[in-house]
Amino acid sequence: MAGISERIIDRLKAVNRLIALAMGAGLLLCAAFILAEILVRQLGGSLGGTDEIAGYVMAIVTSWGMAYCLLELGHVRIDFLRGCFASRGRAVLDLICMATLAAVASVIAYKCWPVVERSLVNGSRANTPLETPLALVQVPWFMGWAWFALSAWITLVAATFLVLQSRLKEAESVAGVFAEADAAAREAEAAT
Amino acid sequence: MIGTLSVSLLALLSISLPVGVVLFLLAFGIDQFYSSFPLIRGLGNMVWSSSKSATLIAIPFFVLLGEILVRSGIASRTYSALDRWFSWLPGGLIHANVATATMFSATSGSSVATAATVATVAMPQAERLGYDQRLFSGAIAAGGTLGIMIPPSINLIVYGFLTQTSIPQLFLAGLVPGLLLALAFLVVTALICAIRPDLGGTRRVFPFIDMLKALTELLPIIMLFTLIIGSIYMGWATPTEAAAVGVAGAMLIAALTSGITWKMMEASLLGTIKITAMIMLVVIGASFLNFTLASAGLGRELQDFLGSLGLTPFYTLLVIVAIYVVLGFFIETLSLMVVTIPIVVPLVLELGYDPVWFGILMIVLIEMALITPPVGLNLYVVQGARRSGSMSDVMMGSLPFVFTMGLMVAALIAMPGIALFLPAALQ
Amino acid sequence: ETLSVVGSWSGLPLHKEFEAPFWTEKLPAASGGNIEVELTTHNQMGLGVGDVFRLLGDGVYDVGMTVADYAVADAPELEGLDVPLLALNADDARAMVNAARPMVADIYKDRFNSHVLAIAPYPPQVVFCNAEIGSLDDLQGKKVRASGRMTAIFLEALGAEGVNVSFSEVPGALQRGVVDCAVTGAGSGYSAGWWEVSTHLLPIPLGGWDSVVTAVNMDRWNSLSDADKALIEAEIKTGFEDPAWAVAQDALVNDIACLTGNGECPAGDARNMTLVEVSDADFEKARGILIGEVLPDWAERAGGDWAQRWNASVGETVGVQIAN
Ligand code: NA
Ligand code: NA
């Protein structure tokens, strides 16, 4: 029977999967918008502002994609030394890494807030014909980083409980290194 | 400072912290110990302005394009078509590995994606046909590196973005060296297998009519390459827009050949978001690290160091190349680029070298880093697809190709025209 | 006292010839070794151009300088400092900047928590075209690469279309017809080889003069002794601002000579772009558009009493009034 830690992680994964799909859909929309711009330009017109909007899409996709990547163990880690440890040693190393990541993600989110705050206070608008209110795009961008930090802390707590219960294999699947081996194997399955 | 930094970098990386996180930690350290200003107050602005980039959105687009090609089966059909054309050479199917990697490089912007694509479709064949696994897998790892040399290339986009160099010019400059490298890989494979036939597999000759039929399977990739690169040089699209055109093209081709399913799109989008976030954490971390390095005066320190050696520009260049080869053993490739570009490129320009040319030279060095142990992403990717045997097989098999890349570096330095004549001719 | 200074684009003459010598040599010498400076530039730090004054206000460094127009996202009223086509030569541009100075000081105090030390010019932003151009009117229907909201609105009113292309991609874009014209400083266009891919040069400041503001963080400024403050203010005027303005007009004339071959080119080989003479009628038309559309639009964006203040200062100097 799955413990509470696993249930929490499964929930978190499901939510992040939905977020990632939404971001993917955003990318597709952005691509469609760029195509439309190319077509309109061939006809001598212009929709205008595709570059600017693509930039905002990139910032938001990036920040909200972070937590999904984390839960899928996608952030590159160099594991040649880690591979030399026994499973308990690996588990401790993984917890240290996850704690560090959670701390760094929190610092990033915390330091991103003043950027949004200033745009809100100044009512800043992009220096472009679109005059995009910066807060409109910076608030979702900031929330993506905050969600990344929160997801990292939740993952850390769940993984710590698993390690304390000596369920190292499960802990590794939550906070370990997703060996490129597994990644390629899954690719292989997906392709057949 | 350079010494402390390098040691901390290696130490933090080796305890398996995520690469992006390591870059942030180094930046925090520099802020704390080497700078009198509160640089961390600039963190939020750096994160915003380095991710809010219309240039970088080409990264998720190219990744998505590759995902669609693999998941729609276009990749495996291309491989079997190239098998018919190349398996008569000494080394047999190994040539199809290189040829498939070359073709995919022309639509993929990433080396890891190219290697993963080819490994996925090729590795099962190696076991079935009784190939020596070393050379077979080494050829995939090395062929995959062409992904960042033959346009389009995510790494060249990042280089152009960071150094304010024209991306279409860089793409043009990478084409000839990329094709030359592919050719060199084929020649090296044939030579090795001519001397040691046991390393290759059976040479197979297919009826000519089969070969002709197989050509139609290559059409999707050729059309896609023409669409992406053509739209840039016809003046229809910027490199970023061309990436969006490529996504549309790949979806159209997938729809026409095997149909687009919801499951396949879902998997492609999820894969894209994961890889994009992975790359961007590294890019953003490197931007912030660069900001702290510049404030702490590392550029000056390095310049003084190279100046104190009293070398001519040529020997200084050789020192820089040597540094890249050594760093390439240990550092993941994109990080290697983004961390070093802001420091090295201004130096190289000051020495009087061309920014487009140096971009291509750096790409060869980065390609080398992809297949040199202990940290060589393509080695891991290919090893992953084998699911048996030892990592050192792949490393051994890659060695002849590392050597070939070394020759390419020498050739680029001796004859810059290899890279520069095409952009010059088309200007 | 050690000041950390972030300069403007490291590759451009303003930094190499004026900023760098002033901060690293003149000021430390004048202070008798009392003031030391650590100098870098925003491009060497990898800063986004819009971040320079934000970070200055946050106290990341002590002194920052960059083009005022880069900061208008945070302060739309700042656009009034540098209106395109109102000042045609360096003397007029300086008079305009001096008139705007009290407004600029208030804006930097309120928006960026900083104190303005100097305003120096980049060469005016002129127009390179790869198309037959005989007058301002001929820009109608052309695709023009320009930056800045005011210039974009002006182009739109002319019937031209603004296109966003990054600086390094401009030559390719001009050559392939992605854009017909592009705006940048005459000197930058010369050294970046834009003359290879364009035929006609319109030597009018369509993008304004690109004033570079030097400002110091307010808290840091208040922490300095009165003697130091007085020294810096006096030195920066005579050692940086005055010499930078003094060469501005000659630099423009030289750069145009280099591009068109209509005179001596000190920077290298002269090229042979066609110099387009802009008629008085063109300027009348430009003023009409400014008064009729661009400036009222700005007044609304800036809000407050900025339009009145502008009328009473800059407007008086250049003879243009924004209707209320
Ligand atoms: Na490629
Ligand atoms: Na390596």
Side-chain angles (χ1 to χ4, degrees):
Chain A
M1 206 198 97
I4 185 155
S5 306
E6 281 137 307
R7 282 213 302 274
I8 290 174
I9 289 295
D10 284 346
R11 273 291 159 73
L12 195 57
K13 272 191 179 168
V15 171
N16 273 308
R17 195 167 171 282
L18 286 179
I19 292 173
L21 280 176
M23 292 301 122
L27 274 178
L28 283 181
L29 276 179
C30 185
F33 185 43
I34 290 175
L35 284 178
E37 159 75 20
I38 296 173
L39 291 180
V40 172
R41 205 163 51 208
Q42 292 305 311
L43 302 174
S46 172
L47 300 175
T50 43
D51 258 34
E52 187 183 347
I53 290 166
Y56 301 144
V57 170
M58 186 62 191
I60 293 169
V61 164
T62 297
S63 71
W64 281 99
M66 289 294 161
Y68 176 71
C69 187
L70 173 76
L71 270 291
E72 296 295 315
L73 309 183
H75 290 295
V76 235
R77 293 170 60 185
I78 290 161
D79 63 340
F80 65 93
L81 202 65
R82 179 181 175 276
C84 306
F85 285 95
S87 57
R88 189 153 288 275
R90 283 208 301 273
V92 172
L93 206 52
D94 288 345
L95 289 186
I96 294 174
C97 288
M98 187 57 72
T100 315
L101 186 142
V104 168
S106 306
V107 173
I108 295 174
Y110 179 69
K111 292 291 172 186
C112 283
W113 171 247
V115 178
V116 188
E117 192 184 25
R118 163 124 25 161
S119 296
L120 283 169
V121 170
N122 282 349
S124 305
R125 285 170 176 270
N127 177 22
T128 58
L130 282 186
E131 296 180 34
T132 315
L134 288 178
L136 191 74
V137 283
Q138 284 175 342
V139 167
W141 161 79
F142 162 75
M143 285 167 63
W145 286 104
W147 173 245
F148 178 40
L150 183 65
S151 298
W153 287 115
I154 295 175
T155 310
L156 174 65
V157 172
T160 310
F161 273 112
L162 288 171
V163 170
L164 290 178
Q165 295 165 349
S166 288
R167 301 172 61 190
L168 300 182
K169 213 174 158 109
E170 288 84 350
E172 188 156 23
S173 77
V174 170
V177 171
F178 193 51
E180 291 289 348
D182 302 335
R186 283 197 348 167
E187 298 261 329
E189 279 153 27
T192 48
Chain B
M1 178 162 72
I2 295 173
T4 320
L5 259 179
S6 318
V7 172
S8 326
L9 178 68
L10 289 180
L12 291 172
L13 283 178
S14 63
I15 64 165
S16 81
L17 275 170
V19 176
V21 171
V22 170
L23 299 178
F24 278 105
L25 286 178
L26 285 182
F28 296 159
I30 290 168
D31 180 23
Q32 197 67 42
F33 300 114
Y34 291 101
S35 154
S36 40
F37 334 118
L39 296 174
I40 197 164
R41 291 188 195 166
L43 176 57
N45 278 293
M46 288 306 296
V47 175
W48 170 249
S49 44
S50 59
S51 56
K52 180 212 65 173
S53 159
T55 308
L56 295 183
I57 204 170
I59 295 176
F61 286 159
F62 280 130
V63 173
L64 180 58
L65 188 163
E67 294 268 331
I68 292 172
L69 290 183
V70 170
R71 292 176 203 277
S72 63
I74 295 172
S76 49
R77 288 197 294 275
T78 306
Y79 184 70
S80 54
L82 288 169
D83 173 23
R84 293 188 180 2
W85 276 84
F86 284 96
S87 285
W88 59 272
L89 286 162
L93 202 51
I94 299 179
H95 295 283
N97 293 352
V98 175
T100 309
T102 309
M103 286 215 78
F104 269 88
S105 299
T107 55
S108 157
S110 135
S111 282
V112 172
T114 307
T117 306
V118 181
T120 309
V121 294
M123 275 333 285
Q125 306 295 323
E127 287 159 35
R128 199 166 58 84
L129 298 171
Y131 274 78
D132 179 88
Q133 296 249 328
R134 282 172 296 178
L135 194 58
F136 191 90
S137 51
I140 300 175
T145 66
L146 296 172
I148 56 172
M149 176 65 95
I150 296 173
S153 156
I154 287 174
N155 294 54
L156 281 177
I157 290 174
V158 171
Y159 179 89
F161 173 71
L162 291 176
T163 62
Q164 290 288 304
T165 310
S166 161
I167 293 166
Q169 293 247 348
L170 286 166
F171 279 7
L172 277 180
L175 189 58
V176 174
L179 292 177
L180 279 180
L181 261 182
L183 191 66
F185 291 167
L186 293 177
V187 171
V188 165
T189 308
L191 281 179
I192 293 174
C193 294
I195 300 167
R196 291 270 314 269
D198 56 307
L199 290 180
T202 24
R203 297 165 61 174
R204 291 178 297 165
V205 181
F206 291 88
F208 190 63
I209 187 81
D210 273 15
M211 292 170 68
L212 281 185
K213 272 189 205 154
L215 276 185
T216 57
E217 301 287 6
L218 298 182
L219 277 180
I221 300 283
I222 294 173
M223 277 160 43
L224 210 47
F225 175 74
T226 316
L227 184 67
I228 295 170
I229 301 303
S231 66
I232 296 177
Y233 295 103
M234 296 298 289
W236 298 339
T238 64
T240 304
E241 292 171 339
V245 172
V247 169
M251 286 181 70
L252 190 68
I253 290 171
L256 291 177
T257 54
S258 50
I260 291 184
T261 62
W262 168 241
K263 203 174 151 222
M264 169 204 135
M265 273 319 285
E266 195 181 68
S268 303
L269 289 176
L270 288 175
T272 303
I273 296 298
K274 180 174 139 190
I275 295 172
T276 304
M278 181 261 271
I279 294 177
M280 286 306 291
L281 188 64
V282 175
V283 169
I284 296 169
S287 304
F288 184 58
L289 177 60
N290 174 43
F291 165 70
T292 57
L293 287 175
S295 322
L298 181 78
R300 271 196 306 277
E301 199 172 309
L302 199 73
Q303 215 153 4
D304 294 347
F305 166 72
L306 284 175
S308 71
L309 296 178
L311 299 173
T312 61
F314 177 71
Y315 283 102
T316 312
L317 184 73
L318 290 191
V319 170
I320 290 172
V321 168
I323 292 175
Y324 271 101
V325 172
V326 173
L327 288 179
F329 287 120
F330 304 103
I331 308 184
E332 188 270 329
T333 52
L334 193 67
S335 333
L336 179 58
M337 274 186 78
V338 285
V339 172
T340 55
I341 281 175
I343 302 164
V344 170
V345 172
L347 269 173
V348 170
L349 297 192
E350 203 134 301
L351 297 176
Y353 291 101
D354 183 276
V356 173
W357 170 81
F358 186 71
I360 302 305
L361 184 72
M362 183 187 279
I363 291 292
V364 185
L365 292 164
I366 300 268
E367 285 187 89
M368 215 189 262
L370 275 164
I371 54 170
T372 51
V375 180
L377 279 187
N378 274 18
L379 299 175
Y380 291 113
V381 169
V382 174
Q383 171 65 15
R386 295 175 63 205
R387 283 186 268 187
S388 66
S390 137
M391 180 82 188
S392 57
D393 291 347
V394 192
M395 291 175 190
M396 284 298 296
S398 299
L399 265 185
F401 302 106
V402 174
F403 182 70
T404 314
M405 288 175 183
L407 290 181
M408 189 68 205
V409 169
L412 273 172
I413 293 175
M415 292 173 285
I418 297 174
L420 292 180
F421 101 91
L422 196 57
L426 293 186
Q427 258 302 328
Chain C
E1 299 279 357
T2 301
L3 293 175
S4 55
V5 179
V6 173
S8 55
W9 294 101
S10 60
L12 294 182
L14 183 69
H15 177 77
K16 290 197 280 201
E17 286 166 30
F18 300 106
E19 271 174 21
F22 173 75
W23 290 103
T24 57
E25 292 158 28
K26 287 185 193 168
L27 184 64
S31 73
N34 186 25
I35 295 176
E36 284 175 31
V37 166
E38 284 180 25
L39 177 70
T40 177
T41 65
H42 65 74
N43 54 308
Q44 284 167 342
M45 290 177 94
L47 283 182
V49 289
D51 295 338
V52 175
F53 292 127
R54 277 190 165 205
L55 296 185
L56 175 68
D58 292 340
V60 174
Y61 33 78
D62 301 326
V63 178
M65 47 195 95
T66 196
V67 178
D69 208 43
Y70 295 160
V72 301
D74 290 319
E77 61 275 15
L78 193 56
E79 286 175 59
L81 167 64
D82 192 21
V83 180
L85 293 173
L86 284 187
L88 299 180
N89 59 51
D91 288 340
D92 291 353
R94 188 163 199 192
M96 194 166 126
V97 163
N98 281 341
R101 185 91 177 236
M103 290 195 290
V104 177
D106 286 352
I107 295 168
Y108 273 74
K109 182 161 158 281
D110 295 338
R111 298 282 197 176
F112 302 112
N113 181 36
S114 49
H115 171 76
V116 174
L117 288 175
I119 305 180
Y122 268 146
Q125 302 281 299
V126 298
V127 191
F128 292 71
C129 287
N130 193 18
E132 193 82 23
I133 296 284
S135 69
L136 204 54
D137 260 344
D138 290 345
L139 287 179
Q140 192 170 349
K142 297 282 188 291
K143 286 172 280 186
V144 184
R145 179 263 188 191
S147 54
R149 190 155 45 204
M150 233 181 218
T151 305
I153 294 169
F154 180 79
L155 284 171
E156 209 172 287
L158 263 184
E161 180 198 323
V163 178
N164 206 338
V165 179
S166 70
F167 186 81
S168 55
E169 307 297 1
V170 168
L174 277 170
Q175 192 173 35
R176 296 190 303 264
V178 175
V179 295
D180 304 303
C181 300
V183 176
T184 196
S188 309
Y190 175 77
S191 40
W194 287 20
W195 43 267
E196 277 186 278
V197 289
S198 50
T199 53
H200 289 65
L201 182 73
L202 259 138
I204 53 167
L206 187 66
W209 279 73
D210 260 10
S211 313
V212 174
V213 172
T214 303
V216 55
N217 176 279
M218 191 62 86
D219 306 319
R220 187 76 177 96
W221 182 245
N222 290 335
S223 78
L224 294 175
S225 70
D226 285 345
D228 280 343
K229 284 186 199 169
L231 176 80
I232 294 174
E233 296 227 291
E235 284 297 316
I236 201 166
K237 184 164 187 319
T238 57
F240 169 67
E241 207 174 25
D242 289 347
W245 278 104
V247 302
Q249 186 61 34
D250 285 350
L252 175 61
V253 171
N254 286 340
D255 290 339
I256 289 174
C258 288
L259 288 163
T260 63
N262 74 346
E264 195 72 7
C265 172
D269 293 336
R271 311 296 169 181
N272 55 358
M273 291 183 67
T274 309
L275 184 66
V276 180
E277 294 294 344
V278 181
S279 67
D280 288 345
D282 276 347
F283 282 119
E284 280 315 307
K285 176 164 186 190
R287 283 193 173 222
I289 294 175
L290 286 173
I291 295 170
E293 297 185 41
V294 178
L295 286 170
D297 193 78
W298 169 71
E300 200 184 311
R301 220 167 32 241
D305 61 348
W306 289 107
Q308 286 96 308
R309 287 189 68 179
W310 192 90
N311 278 343
S313 54
V314 181
E316 284 291 326
T317 312
V318 297
V320 166
Q321 292 291 306
I322 307 170
N324 285 312

